[in-house]
Amino acid sequence: MTNLNGTIAAEPEPITLDWSRTALVIIDMQRDFMEPGGFGETLGNDVGQLVRAVKPIATVLQAARAVGLLVVHTREGHLPDLSDAPPAKIERGAPRLRIGDPGPMGRILIRGEAGHDIIPELYPLDSEVVIDKPGKGAFYATELGDILQKYGIENLLVCGVTTEVCVNTTVREANDRGYRCVVISDGCASYFPEFHEMGLKMIKAQGGIFGWVTDSAAVLEALAA
Ligand code: TIU
């Protein structure tokens, strides 16, 4: 990394980041959310809505690896004995299969099962950080804060699924912890396109109340500069 700073075209305004203090955080790009038969579909969702985020994330991930950004992948899921899954989460709604039930990709949303794994297109390298999280936010009950502190990270480029659930929750947690969050709009997706739009607007409104919103092309341009 020779040029340490880069300016990303973003809303509500461009933001200049020190790349050596910036991490790419990819939220929950797991088969359980992306593929038929997983947690997302058991909740009644059309998983096809999320496919559009894969390519933009893949291009940013490739560029981030090339310049040596810290890359963090997260996975939502629970221990096989469900000791980290609150009854209030398991019992909620009327899904076809509940968390822990056997499904076509193994037990729903359970660590170590096929459905819990990250999709092949975005699979982590051994050198990258993988955070297993029991909640929607990536800071709650995880080592993420300690790891970011260890690497001196101040800025997060955030993408993944879903925009209004785990991406928004993580950005809100990070913002309160002092991180500058830049969300990659086309690298996020929701089962509800209108929630995707509003989820991004909520972040960048009021002068960037939770952070900044950019797109993958702007990130690539800034990383290449
Ligand atoms: N249901 C939904 O939209 N999302 C989640 O349950 N988790 C994540 O967003 N990763």
Side-chain angles (χ1 to χ4, degrees):
M1 247 186 267
T2 44
N3 183 2
L4 286 187
N5 289 323
T7 300
I8 304 178
E11 292 182 307
E13 62 199 2
I15 179 168
T16 299
L17 301 179
D18 176 346
W19 296 126
S20 71
R21 298 195 173 278
T22 301
L24 173 64
V25 180
I26 304 175
I27 304 288
D28 300 359
M29 292 299 290
Q30 297 160 257
R31 300 182 65 193
D32 252 321
F33 296 104
M34 303 297 297
E35 294 185 18
F39 180 61
E41 194 184 71
T42 71
L43 296 175
N45 296 308
D46 169 15
V47 295
Q49 290 289 344
L50 305 189
V51 177
R52 62 187 66 140
V54 175
K55 257 203 194 120
I57 297 174
T59 61
V60 171
L61 177 58
Q62 191 178 22
R65 284 172 174 165
V67 303
L69 288 195
L70 179 71
V71 176
V72 177
H73 305 256
T74 72
R75 300 186 294 206
E76 180 179 348
H78 296 284
L79 296 167
D81 66 1
L82 297 176
S83 57
D84 62 350
K89 181 176 180 181
I90 299 173
E91 295 161 3
R92 193 155 326 171
R96 205 161 34 76
L97 296 171
R98 291 191 189 274
I99 295 167
D101 286 349
M105 294 188 287
R107 293 176 69 201
I108 298 291
L109 215 59
I110 298 297
R111 293 184 195 175
E113 301 286 346
H116 180 260
D117 214 353
I118 291 173
I119 59 171
E121 299 95 313
L122 303 174
Y123 211 76
L125 301 178
D126 286 343
S127 57
E128 292 170 351
V129 177
V130 178
I131 298 288
D132 280 316
K133 62 190 189 57
K136 304 306 183 193
F139 288 85
Y140 169 67
T142 73
E143 65 281 25
L144 178 59
D146 291 341
I147 289 172
L148 296 178
Q149 195 170 17
K150 186 179 101 181
Y151 284 97
I153 297 298
E154 298 173 354
N155 319 303
L156 307 179
L157 296 172
V158 187
C159 54
V161 297
T162 61
T163 315
E164 81 282 10
V165 182
C166 291
V167 172
N168 248 268
T169 305
T170 298
V171 166
R172 289 165 191 235
E173 286 183 325
N175 181 63
D176 277 352
R177 287 164 171 78
Y179 295 96
R180 299 178 194 89
C181 296
V182 184
V183 179
I184 304 167
S185 58
D186 55 339
C188 299
S190 169
Y191 300 116
F192 306 88
E194 67 274 29
F195 291 174
H196 172 78
E197 288 305 318
M198 295 309 291
L200 296 173
K201 279 187 180 173
M202 285 178 195
I203 289 164
K204 70 187 178 188
Q206 305 184 61
I209 196 76
F210 296 122
W212 289 256
V213 176
T214 186
D215 61 22
S216 58
V219 173
L220 294 183
E221 198 174 322
L223 283 171

